[in-house]
C-alpha cells in the first residue's frame, strides 16, 4: 500500500490537476506513480516535464526504456521495471531485448555501451572516468547523446526512489527482478 495518497484528478492539489489530465491523455489512464507524485505539484511538474523533454530528445525511446529497466533492476524498483518493460515493448524492443537490458546486456554495441555506462554511473554514484565517457564516444555517442544519457539516468533514479520509498503499487504487468550474482 502506498505510503502517500494516490490522487485522482478530483482529489489532487489544484496545481496537479491539469498535469494529471495530461498524463491521463498520454497514457489513457493515470499510472499510480503519477498519482503518488501528484501530492507535490512541483515534483509532478518536474517529472512530467523531464519525461516530455527526453521523449523529444536525440536518444531513441527504445534505448531510453532499455536503460530504464537496467537501472530499475539494479535499484530493485519493481514499479519501474514493470512500467519500462511495457513501454520498451511499445517502443519496438523485443521481449528478449528487454530481458537482456534488465541484466545490462544487449547485442547492439551502442546499446551495450549505454547500459554499461548507466549501471556504472548508478553503482559508483557518477564517479566514472574519462575512459568510461570515451567508451560511449567509441560506440557512437556524441556530447549531446552523452549528456542526454545522463539525464535519462537521473530521471530513472528519481522515479525509482519515488516508487521504492513510497511503496507505490505496481499497475503494469509485473516483471520478475533479476537477483545480482
Amino acid at each position: 500500500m502506498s505510503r502517500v495518497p494516490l490522487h485522482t484528478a478530483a482529489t489532487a492539489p489544484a496545481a496537479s490537476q491539469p498535469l494529471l489530465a495530461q498524463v491521463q491523455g498520454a497514457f489513457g489512464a493515470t499510472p499510480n506513480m503519477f498519482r503518488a507524485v501528484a501530492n507535490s505539484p512541483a515534483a509532478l511538474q518536474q517529472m512530467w516535464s523531464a519525461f516530455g523533454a527526453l521523449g523529444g530528445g536525440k536518444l531513441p525511446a527504445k534505448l531510453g526504456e532499455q536503460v530504464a529497466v537496467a537501472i530499475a533492476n539494479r535499484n530493485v524498483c519493481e514499479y519501474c521495471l514493470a512500467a519500462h518493460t511495457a513501454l520498451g515493448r511499445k517502443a519496438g524492443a523485443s521481449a528478449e531485448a528487454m530481458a537482456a537490458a534488465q541484466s545490462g546486456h544487449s547485442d547492439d554495441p551502442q546499446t551495450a555501451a549505454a547500459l554499461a555506462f548507466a549501471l556504472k554511473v548508478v553503482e559508483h554514484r557518477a564517479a566514472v572516468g574519462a575512459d568510461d565517457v570515451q567508451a560511449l564516444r567509441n560506440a557512437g555517442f556524441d556530447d549531446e547523446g552523452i549528456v542526454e544519457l545522463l539525464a535519462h539516468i537521473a530521471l530513472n533514479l528519481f522515479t525509482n526512489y519515488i516508487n521504492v520509498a513510497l511503496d507505490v503499487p505496481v499497475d503494469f504487468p509485473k516483471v520478475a527482478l533479476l537477483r545480482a550474482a
Side-chain angles (χ1 to χ4, degrees), residues 32 44 53 60 71 77-78 80 86 97 101 105-106 109 121 129 148 163 169 174 181:
N32 285 340
L44 183 59
I71 294 171
C77 182
E78 294 179 87
C80 287
H105 298 98
S106 175
V121 167
E148 192 171 311
N163 290 303
K174 291 198 179 195

Side-chain angles (χ1 to χ4, degrees), residues 62-138:
K62 178 179 161 183
L63 176 60
E65 300 305 339
Q66 288 171 299
V67 166
V69 298
I71 294 171
N73 193 80
R74 170 62 179 83
N75 287 329
V76 192
C77 182
E78 294 179 87
Y79 191 97
C80 287
L81 179 59
H84 291 288
T85 296
L87 293 170
R89 299 283 286 131
K90 188 174 179 182
S94 68
E96 296 78 18
M98 292 308 291
Q102 185 181 344
S103 62
H105 298 98
S106 175
D107 291 336
D108 174 66
Q110 190 173 44
T111 301
L115 294 171
F117 182 79
L119 289 174
K120 189 163 189 180
V121 167
V122 171
E123 290 167 7
H124 296 280
R125 297 181 182 171
V128 297
D131 56 332
D132 298 305
V133 174
Q134 187 60 47
L136 288 174
R137 286 193 174 98
N138 294 345

Side-chain angles (χ1 to χ4, degrees), residues 19 22-23 26-27 34 43-53:
L19 296 168
Q22 291 175 27
V23 171
F27 285 96
F34 292 102
L44 183 59
Q45 178 67 51
Q46 178 204 5
M47 182 183 283
W48 189 238
S49 294
F51 277 120

Side-chain angles (χ1 to χ4, degrees), residues 67 71 114 117-118 121-122 148-158:
V67 166
I71 294 171
F117 182 79
V121 167
V122 171
E148 192 171 311
L149 178 58
L150 282 161
H152 275 275
I153 295 165
L155 177 57
N156 281 286
L157 288 171
F158 174 44

